[in-house]
mmCIF file of all heavy atoms in Angstrom:
data_model
loop_
_atom_site.group_PDB
_atom_site.id
_atom_site.type_symbol
_atom_site.label_atom_id
_atom_site.label_comp_id
_atom_site.label_asym_id
_atom_site.label_seq_id
_atom_site.Cartn_x
_atom_site.Cartn_y
_atom_site.Cartn_z
ATOM 1 N N ILE A 1 2.444 -32.941 -141.002
ATOM 2 C CA ILE A 1 2.117 -34.364 -141.085
ATOM 3 C C ILE A 1 1.111 -34.740 -140.006
ATOM 4 O O ILE A 1 0.708 -35.896 -139.895
ATOM 5 C CB ILE A 1 3.377 -35.263 -140.981
ATOM 6 C CG1 ILE A 1 4.083 -35.085 -139.632
ATOM 7 C CG2 ILE A 1 4.320 -35.001 -142.120
ATOM 8 C CD1 ILE A 1 5.242 -36.039 -139.441
ATOM 9 N N ALA A 2 0.680 -33.730 -139.221
ATOM 10 C CA ALA A 2 -0.407 -33.863 -138.245
ATOM 11 C C ALA A 2 -0.156 -34.976 -137.234
ATOM 12 O O ALA A 2 -1.044 -35.748 -136.891
ATOM 13 C CB ALA A 2 -1.742 -34.091 -138.965
ATOM 14 N N VAL A 3 1.079 -35.048 -136.752
ATOM 15 C CA VAL A 3 1.407 -36.068 -135.763
ATOM 16 C C VAL A 3 2.558 -35.578 -134.898
ATOM 17 O O VAL A 3 3.413 -34.810 -135.350
ATOM 18 C CB VAL A 3 1.782 -37.401 -136.461
ATOM 19 C CG1 VAL A 3 3.101 -37.281 -137.199
ATOM 20 C CG2 VAL A 3 1.822 -38.548 -135.461
ATOM 21 N N TYR A 4 2.567 -35.984 -133.628
ATOM 22 C CA TYR A 4 3.624 -35.623 -132.698
ATOM 23 C C TYR A 4 4.649 -36.757 -132.611
ATOM 24 O O TYR A 4 4.309 -37.932 -132.819
ATOM 25 C CB TYR A 4 3.047 -35.378 -131.298
ATOM 26 C CG TYR A 4 2.006 -34.304 -131.247
ATOM 27 C CD1 TYR A 4 0.685 -34.614 -130.946
ATOM 28 C CD2 TYR A 4 2.345 -32.978 -131.501
ATOM 29 C CE1 TYR A 4 -0.279 -33.626 -130.890
ATOM 30 C CE2 TYR A 4 1.386 -31.984 -131.436
ATOM 31 C CZ TYR A 4 0.073 -32.306 -131.139
ATOM 32 O OH TYR A 4 -0.875 -31.323 -131.085
ATOM 33 N N PRO A 5 5.894 -36.437 -132.272
ATOM 34 C CA PRO A 5 6.907 -37.490 -132.131
ATOM 35 C C PRO A 5 6.500 -38.583 -131.141
ATOM 36 O O PRO A 5 6.746 -39.765 -131.394
ATOM 37 C CB PRO A 5 8.143 -36.717 -131.637
ATOM 38 C CG PRO A 5 7.959 -35.341 -132.172
ATOM 39 C CD PRO A 5 6.475 -35.090 -132.108
ATOM 40 N N ASP A 6 5.883 -38.210 -129.994
ATOM 41 C CA ASP A 6 5.510 -39.227 -129.018
ATOM 42 C C ASP A 6 4.394 -40.123 -129.542
ATOM 43 O O ASP A 6 4.307 -41.313 -129.187
ATOM 44 C CB ASP A 6 5.097 -38.589 -127.686
ATOM 45 C CG ASP A 6 3.977 -37.577 -127.837
ATOM 46 O OD1 ASP A 6 3.737 -37.108 -128.965
ATOM 47 O OD2 ASP A 6 3.338 -37.244 -126.815
ATOM 48 N N GLU A 7 3.538 -39.589 -130.436
ATOM 49 C CA GLU A 7 2.513 -40.424 -131.056
ATOM 50 C C GLU A 7 3.153 -41.458 -131.970
ATOM 51 O O GLU A 7 2.705 -42.616 -132.032
ATOM 52 C CB GLU A 7 1.537 -39.553 -131.848
ATOM 53 C CG GLU A 7 0.635 -38.691 -130.988
ATOM 54 C CD GLU A 7 -0.266 -37.802 -131.805
ATOM 55 O OE1 GLU A 7 0.175 -37.328 -132.878
ATOM 56 O OE2 GLU A 7 -1.410 -37.572 -131.380
ATOM 57 N N LEU A 8 4.186 -41.047 -132.684
ATOM 58 C CA LEU A 8 4.900 -41.991 -133.548
ATOM 59 C C LEU A 8 5.528 -43.115 -132.739
ATOM 60 O O LEU A 8 5.466 -44.282 -133.117
ATOM 61 C CB LEU A 8 5.992 -41.257 -134.332
ATOM 62 C CG LEU A 8 5.545 -40.386 -135.498
ATOM 63 C CD1 LEU A 8 6.733 -39.605 -136.047
ATOM 64 C CD2 LEU A 8 4.923 -41.231 -136.594
ATOM 65 N N THR A 9 6.133 -42.743 -131.617
ATOM 66 C CA THR A 9 6.784 -43.752 -130.765
ATOM 67 C C THR A 9 5.770 -44.757 -130.249
ATOM 68 O O THR A 9 5.997 -45.967 -130.293
ATOM 69 C CB THR A 9 7.498 -43.071 -129.589
ATOM 70 O OG1 THR A 9 8.465 -42.147 -130.102
ATOM 71 C CG2 THR A 9 8.212 -44.112 -128.724
ATOM 72 N N ARG A 10 4.636 -44.263 -129.755
ATOM 73 C CA ARG A 10 3.602 -45.171 -129.244
ATOM 74 C C ARG A 10 3.058 -46.069 -130.348
ATOM 75 O O ARG A 10 2.828 -47.269 -130.145
ATOM 76 C CB ARG A 10 2.461 -44.365 -128.616
ATOM 77 C CG ARG A 10 2.811 -43.695 -127.307
ATOM 78 C CD ARG A 10 1.563 -43.297 -126.531
ATOM 79 N NE ARG A 10 0.712 -42.403 -127.312
ATOM 80 C CZ ARG A 10 0.814 -41.084 -127.310
ATOM 81 N NH1 ARG A 10 1.760 -40.500 -126.573
ATOM 82 N NH2 ARG A 10 -0.005 -40.340 -128.022
ATOM 83 N N ALA A 11 2.850 -45.476 -131.520
ATOM 84 C CA ALA A 11 2.300 -46.248 -132.632
ATOM 85 C C ALA A 11 3.251 -47.353 -133.079
ATOM 86 O O ALA A 11 2.837 -48.492 -133.325
ATOM 87 C CB ALA A 11 1.987 -45.316 -133.808
ATOM 88 N N THR A 12 4.536 -47.024 -133.180
ATOM 89 C CA THR A 12 5.501 -48.035 -133.618
ATOM 90 C C THR A 12 5.718 -49.107 -132.543
ATOM 91 O O THR A 12 5.926 -50.282 -132.872
ATOM 92 C CB THR A 12 6.851 -47.400 -133.986
ATOM 93 O OG1 THR A 12 7.291 -46.556 -132.914
ATOM 94 C CG2 THR A 12 6.728 -46.572 -135.255
ATOM 95 N N ASP A 13 5.652 -48.722 -131.269
ATOM 96 C CA ASP A 13 5.750 -49.712 -130.201
ATOM 97 C C ASP A 13 4.587 -50.692 -130.278
ATOM 98 O O ASP A 13 4.766 -51.906 -130.132
ATOM 99 C CB ASP A 13 5.763 -49.026 -128.831
ATOM 100 C CG ASP A 13 7.083 -48.341 -128.535
ATOM 101 O OD1 ASP A 13 8.067 -48.621 -129.255
ATOM 102 O OD2 ASP A 13 7.143 -47.532 -127.602
ATOM 103 N N TRP A 14 3.386 -50.155 -130.493
ATOM 104 C CA TRP A 14 2.206 -51.019 -130.610
ATOM 105 C C TRP A 14 2.336 -51.922 -131.833
ATOM 106 O O TRP A 14 2.044 -53.114 -131.763
ATOM 107 C CB TRP A 14 0.949 -50.154 -130.742
ATOM 108 C CG TRP A 14 -0.297 -50.977 -130.906
ATOM 109 C CD1 TRP A 14 -1.088 -51.482 -129.926
ATOM 110 C CD2 TRP A 14 -0.864 -51.426 -132.156
ATOM 111 N NE1 TRP A 14 -2.117 -52.202 -130.475
ATOM 112 C CE2 TRP A 14 -2.018 -52.185 -131.842
ATOM 113 C CE3 TRP A 14 -0.521 -51.246 -133.492
ATOM 114 C CZ2 TRP A 14 -2.819 -52.757 -132.821
ATOM 115 C CZ3 TRP A 14 -1.312 -51.828 -134.467
ATOM 116 C CH2 TRP A 14 -2.448 -52.567 -134.134
ATOM 117 N N PHE A 15 2.805 -51.353 -132.950
ATOM 118 C CA PHE A 15 2.918 -52.141 -134.169
ATOM 119 C C PHE A 15 3.928 -53.267 -133.999
ATOM 120 O O PHE A 15 3.712 -54.378 -134.489
ATOM 121 C CB PHE A 15 3.326 -51.250 -135.340
ATOM 122 C CG PHE A 15 3.293 -51.977 -136.661
ATOM 123 C CD1 PHE A 15 2.145 -52.004 -137.419
ATOM 124 C CD2 PHE A 15 4.408 -52.652 -137.130
ATOM 125 C CE1 PHE A 15 2.098 -52.685 -138.623
ATOM 126 C CE2 PHE A 15 4.380 -53.338 -138.323
ATOM 127 C CZ PHE A 15 3.218 -53.349 -139.082
ATOM 128 N N SER A 16 5.019 -52.994 -133.304
ATOM 129 C CA SER A 16 6.044 -54.024 -133.098
ATOM 130 C C SER A 16 5.482 -55.227 -132.346
ATOM 131 O O SER A 16 5.913 -56.360 -132.573
ATOM 132 C CB SER A 16 7.225 -53.430 -132.322
ATOM 133 O OG SER A 16 7.877 -52.435 -133.077
ATOM 134 N N ARG A 17 4.517 -54.994 -131.470
ATOM 135 C CA ARG A 17 3.915 -56.090 -130.700
ATOM 136 C C ARG A 17 2.854 -56.853 -131.495
ATOM 137 O O ARG A 17 2.603 -58.022 -131.226
ATOM 138 C CB ARG A 17 3.288 -55.546 -129.412
ATOM 139 C CG ARG A 17 4.285 -54.960 -128.428
ATOM 140 C CD ARG A 17 3.645 -54.739 -127.067
ATOM 141 N NE ARG A 17 2.502 -53.844 -127.140
ATOM 142 C CZ ARG A 17 2.582 -52.517 -127.025
ATOM 143 N NH1 ARG A 17 3.756 -51.943 -126.848
ATOM 144 N NH2 ARG A 17 1.493 -51.768 -127.085
ATOM 145 N N HIS A 18 2.225 -56.175 -132.447
ATOM 146 C CA HIS A 18 1.089 -56.790 -133.152
ATOM 147 C C HIS A 18 1.260 -56.730 -134.669
ATOM 148 O O HIS A 18 0.265 -56.661 -135.393
ATOM 149 C CB HIS A 18 -0.207 -56.062 -132.775
ATOM 150 C CG HIS A 18 -0.456 -55.948 -131.312
ATOM 151 N ND1 HIS A 18 -0.901 -57.007 -130.535
ATOM 152 C CD2 HIS A 18 -0.306 -54.901 -130.463
ATOM 153 C CE1 HIS A 18 -1.033 -56.624 -129.291
ATOM 154 N NE2 HIS A 18 -0.675 -55.355 -129.202
ATOM 155 N N CYS A 19 2.484 -56.778 -135.159
ATOM 156 C CA CYS A 19 2.738 -56.491 -136.575
ATOM 157 C C CYS A 19 1.955 -57.391 -137.527
ATOM 158 O O CYS A 19 1.327 -56.893 -138.474
ATOM 159 C CB CYS A 19 4.228 -56.539 -136.875
ATOM 160 S SG CYS A 19 5.053 -58.060 -136.411
ATOM 161 N N ALA A 20 1.960 -58.707 -137.309
ATOM 162 C CA ALA A 20 1.283 -59.606 -138.242
ATOM 163 C C ALA A 20 -0.217 -59.339 -138.264
ATOM 164 O O ALA A 20 -0.834 -59.213 -139.338
ATOM 165 C CB ALA A 20 1.563 -61.061 -137.849
ATOM 166 N N LYS A 21 -0.818 -59.250 -137.073
ATOM 167 C CA LYS A 21 -2.249 -58.982 -136.983
ATOM 168 C C LYS A 21 -2.581 -57.616 -137.570
ATOM 169 O O LYS A 21 -3.596 -57.456 -138.257
ATOM 170 C CB LYS A 21 -2.694 -59.030 -135.515
ATOM 171 C CG LYS A 21 -4.198 -58.897 -135.310
ATOM 172 C CD LYS A 21 -4.530 -58.687 -133.838
ATOM 173 C CE LYS A 21 -4.013 -59.826 -132.990
ATOM 174 N NZ LYS A 21 -4.366 -59.636 -131.545
ATOM 175 N N ALA A 22 -1.731 -56.624 -137.299
ATOM 176 C CA ALA A 22 -1.982 -55.265 -137.787
ATOM 177 C C ALA A 22 -1.970 -55.220 -139.313
ATOM 178 O O ALA A 22 -2.822 -54.568 -139.936
ATOM 179 C CB ALA A 22 -0.940 -54.300 -137.222
ATOM 180 N N VAL A 23 -1.014 -55.891 -139.936
ATOM 181 C CA VAL A 23 -0.928 -55.894 -141.397
ATOM 182 C C VAL A 23 -2.131 -56.623 -141.994
ATOM 183 O O VAL A 23 -2.772 -56.129 -142.935
ATOM 184 C CB VAL A 23 0.384 -56.541 -141.873
ATOM 185 C CG1 VAL A 23 0.355 -56.791 -143.382
ATOM 186 C CG2 VAL A 23 1.567 -55.644 -141.520
ATOM 187 N N LEU A 24 -2.457 -57.794 -141.455
ATOM 188 C CA LEU A 24 -3.570 -58.580 -141.993
ATOM 189 C C LEU A 24 -4.882 -57.819 -141.901
ATOM 190 O O LEU A 24 -5.613 -57.684 -142.889
ATOM 191 C CB LEU A 24 -3.677 -59.903 -141.241
ATOM 192 C CG LEU A 24 -4.844 -60.815 -141.649
ATOM 193 C CD1 LEU A 24 -4.762 -61.174 -143.128
ATOM 194 C CD2 LEU A 24 -4.861 -62.071 -140.790
ATOM 195 N N LEU A 25 -5.198 -57.309 -140.710
ATOM 196 C CA LEU A 25 -6.457 -56.593 -140.526
ATOM 197 C C LEU A 25 -6.431 -55.227 -141.195
ATOM 198 O O LEU A 25 -7.445 -54.764 -141.719
ATOM 199 C CB LEU A 25 -6.763 -56.440 -139.029
ATOM 200 C CG LEU A 25 -6.967 -57.746 -138.268
ATOM 201 C CD1 LEU A 25 -7.255 -57.473 -136.791
ATOM 202 C CD2 LEU A 25 -8.117 -58.556 -138.881
ATOM 203 N N GLY A 26 -5.257 -54.578 -141.193
ATOM 204 C CA GLY A 26 -5.138 -53.268 -141.819
ATOM 205 C C GLY A 26 -5.428 -53.306 -143.305
ATOM 206 O O GLY A 26 -5.977 -52.350 -143.864
ATOM 207 N N ARG A 27 -5.095 -54.408 -143.966
ATOM 208 C CA ARG A 27 -5.347 -54.525 -145.402
ATOM 209 C C ARG A 27 -6.842 -54.635 -145.717
ATOM 210 O O ARG A 27 -7.242 -54.571 -146.881
ATOM 211 C CB ARG A 27 -4.622 -55.744 -145.970
ATOM 212 C CG ARG A 27 -3.113 -55.672 -145.906
ATOM 213 C CD ARG A 27 -2.540 -54.513 -146.674
ATOM 214 N NE ARG A 27 -2.772 -54.637 -148.113
ATOM 215 C CZ ARG A 27 -2.509 -53.674 -148.980
ATOM 216 N NH1 ARG A 27 -2.049 -52.514 -148.581
ATOM 217 N NH2 ARG A 27 -2.741 -53.855 -150.272
#
């Protein structure tokens, strides 16, 4: 899956802080 566990943790931590903006811009 080309990803490390610590990368997942950092990514989800960042997403939790910016979820609305991330979803809107990500689309």
Side-chain angles (χ1 to χ4, degrees):
I1 62 175
V3 69
Y4 302 113
D6 56 342
E7 290 177 325
L8 285 173
T9 301
R10 289 198 302 271
T12 51
D13 286 346
W14 178 88
F15 187 89
S16 295
R17 295 193 301 271
H18 307 284
C19 55
K21 186 191 302 181
V23 169
L24 177 59
L25 297 180
R27 295 299 295 172

